[in-house]
Amino acid sequence: MFENETKIDLETNMRVSRNVSHRMRITSCILNVCLIVLGVVFLLLELYVFKDGDYFLPVFLMVMGAVLLLFMLFLYPFVQKITGKALQGKESIMHYVFNEDGYEVVTNMNDGTSSTTSENYSAFTKCNEYVDMWMMYLNQATVFIVRKDGMKSRTAEELAQFLMGKFGAKYKVCYKKR
């Protein structure tokens, strides 16, 4: 039996946001830089090859690439600020118990309410392991966040091996292990 207690607060939500959007942000920044480079190439072609004075497309590509690049660079602090306001005073403690038959989650909200969920592992659609947490998806809208530093019994490495065995092909490691 594995026990974990994870506090769901602003810090945890920002870690989830960073993990989920990491590839998307990198890909978007690369595409935005490509837009800027394409705009520069078209501008140079207009200036030195075609010489017809139509600069709308190159300037548009450069401006859009720059605006979108700045948007992607400042998106994370903006999301952090908005999430901080939305989650103010809405922290919860998730107590997870993983055993051979299934899992049980007890959610304790800071307003005194609590709920319990239990099921077998086949209910999950996927499980992603990150450096500091696991994200277990019941569906696109319901995700259990299990932080590795919240282990109460046994170790995070043992739980990782256990979850790999339970999830099989639905288990994905989303970082490079050293």
Side-chain angles (χ1 to χ4, degrees):
M1 181 172 80
F2 298 90
E3 287 188 56
N4 181 294
E5 195 167 279
T6 298
K7 182 177 183 181
I8 305 296
D9 57 359
L10 177 61
E11 178 191 351
T12 304
N13 279 293
M14 292 316 299
R15 286 181 180 202
V16 169
S17 172
R18 192 170 36 248
N19 287 337
V20 169
S21 66
H22 181 72
R23 280 193 180 140
M24 186 264 316
R25 287 187 323 215
I26 289 173
T27 304
S28 179
C29 287
I30 290 170
L31 290 174
N32 294 333
V33 168
C34 289
L35 271 179
I36 294 169
V37 169
L38 190 62
V40 169
V41 168
F42 280 165
L43 183 62
L44 291 174
L45 284 172
E46 283 293 331
L47 289 173
Y48 296 109
V49 176
F50 300 122
K51 298 181 183 178
D52 63 359
D54 185 17
Y55 304 120
F56 176 75
L57 181 62
V59 171
F60 177 78
L61 289 175
M62 289 188 299
V63 169
M64 284 306 295
V67 167
L68 291 172
L69 184 64
L70 288 173
F71 176 75
M72 289 310 298
L73 293 176
F74 292 109
L75 179 64
Y76 185 74
F78 178 73
V79 168
Q80 185 175 12
K81 185 176 181 181
I82 296 297
T83 305
K85 287 182 180 178
L87 292 177
Q88 198 167 28
K90 296 180 183 176
E91 297 175 349
S92 62
I93 303 292
M94 307 284 280
H95 183 79
Y96 298 96
V97 177
F98 300 99
N99 55 41
E100 286 297 324
D101 300 328
Y103 69 92
E104 180 178 85
V105 180
V106 178
T107 305
N108 296 311
M109 300 295 288
N110 62 349
D111 63 359
T113 60
S114 67
S115 66
T116 303
T117 304
S118 61
E119 188 71 47
N120 59 19
Y121 297 103
S122 64
F124 288 106
T125 58
K126 66 180 177 177
C127 177
N128 292 343
E129 179 185 359
Y130 295 95
V131 173
D132 55 348
M133 70 180 68
W134 290 277
M135 293 177 63
M136 298 179 204
Y137 293 81
L138 282 175
N139 53 44
Q140 289 289 58
T142 307
V143 180
F144 290 135
I145 309 303
V146 182
R147 289 183 56 162
K148 290 183 178 180
D149 59 2
M151 294 303 296
K152 295 294 181 191
S153 67
R154 303 178 77 177
T155 65
E157 293 79 20
E158 290 174 323
L159 180 57
Q161 292 300 318
F162 176 78
L163 292 174
M164 270 187 221
K166 291 295 181 185
F167 283 95
K170 295 189 277 185
Y171 191 91
K172 181 180 177 186
V173 178
C174 298
Y175 68 100
K176 293 181 180 178
K177 291 186 178 183
R178 297 182 193 265

